Amino acid sequence: MNVIGVACSCLPKSLSQKAVKAFLQGAEEAGHHTLLVPIGKGLSGCTGCHACKKLDGFCVQQDALRPYFDALPDAGAVVFGAGIYMGYPQGEAWSFMNRHFCLHDRVGEGARCRIEPGKKLYPIFAQGAPDNPKYRANYEELLRPFDGWGFERMEPLVVTGPTSEEAIRRAYELGRTI
C-alpha cells in the first residue's frame, strides 16, 4: 500500500513531524511504500479560483501540496500531523483541509469525488501541554469534511509533552499495523 505522510509543522523537529516520520517508518518497515510531504513552509491556501472544477482535475497550484495530490489517487492511507495552538489545530492544518475542495468535480448537488472512497486517514495532533479532552471538538471540526471526500477516519493520536517518546513509539507501532 502507498502511504502519504503530511507534516503541517514549519519546525522540522516538532512533535507532530517526529510522530508522522515515526508512523511512516513503521509503515515502511511493514512493507508499505511511503512519501513524506512537509507542507509547513511553501503551502498556499485555497484561493477559490475554481480551476479544479473548470479543468476537471486536482488543485492547479504548484506548491508544497503538489506531491500530495499527485500521489493521492494511488494511496491507501494518509497520516497527517498538526500542532495544537491554544486548543486548535495550527493554521496549516486548516489550509491542508481546505485545499481538498478540489476533490469534488463541481459545487452543489450531484458533486462526485475524484478519488475512490476508503482511504484511511490517520490524524496526529501534538502539543506541549497535557492532553485536554475539551480540544477534541476542535479536532473533530477539522476532520469532519474528510468524511465527505470518502476518507475513513481513524482515531486521532494525541501527542503531548515536550518530547513524549511514548507517543512517538505509539505512532511508529500504529504505522506498522496498517
Side-chain angles (χ1 to χ4, degrees):
M1 173 186 349
N2 293 329
V3 181
I4 306 171
V6 177
C8 294
S9 179
C10 295
L11 306 172
K13 295 182 180 180
S14 70
L15 278 177
S16 60
Q17 285 240 12
K18 288 178 184 177
V20 168
K21 288 176 181 177
F23 184 102
L24 291 177
Q25 180 184 357
E28 198 165 287
E29 289 177 12
H32 302 289
H33 300 280
T34 64
L35 171 67
L36 175 63
V37 181
I39 63 169
K41 294 181 181 175
L43 171 67
S44 299
C46 177
T47 64
C49 69
H50 288 246
C52 57
K53 311 302 181 224
K54 296 172 192 161
L55 301 174
D56 194 30
F58 291 129
C59 184
V60 298
Q61 293 190 63
Q62 298 295 319
D63 68 353
L65 269 182
R66 178 82 276 131
Y68 170 79
F69 284 120
D70 290 344
L72 186 59
D74 297 322
V78 173
V79 56
F80 86 94
I84 300 301
Y85 300 104
M86 298 183 295
Y88 289 88
Q90 68 187 95
E92 291 83 0
W94 294 96
S95 291
F96 170 67
M97 181 272 295
N98 285 333
R99 288 283 295 282
H100 287 78
F101 173 73
C102 70
L103 293 186
H104 283 133
D105 64 349
R106 74 188 105 204
V107 177
E109 284 189 48
R112 291 185 340 261
C113 191
R114 292 190 167 101
I115 61 171
E116 293 295 319
K119 295 180 189 306
K120 293 188 182 326
L121 180 68
Y122 293 88
I124 298 174
F125 297 108
Q127 62 191 35
D131 188 20
N132 186 336
K134 292 179 181 178
Y135 297 170
R136 300 293 170 132
N138 302 335
Y139 309 160
E140 177 64 23
E141 188 176 337
L142 173 72
L143 297 172
R144 190 175 308 114
F146 287 93
D147 297 342
W149 298 308
F151 285 88
E152 180 184 345
R153 284 194 282 144
M154 304 293 107
E155 184 67 26
L157 174 62
V158 179
V159 180
T160 61
T163 58
S164 193
E165 293 304 320
E166 171 61 22
I168 300 301
R169 187 193 61 71
R170 284 187 295 150
Y172 168 81
E173 293 298 331
L174 187 57
R176 286 194 53 83
T177 64
I178 63 169

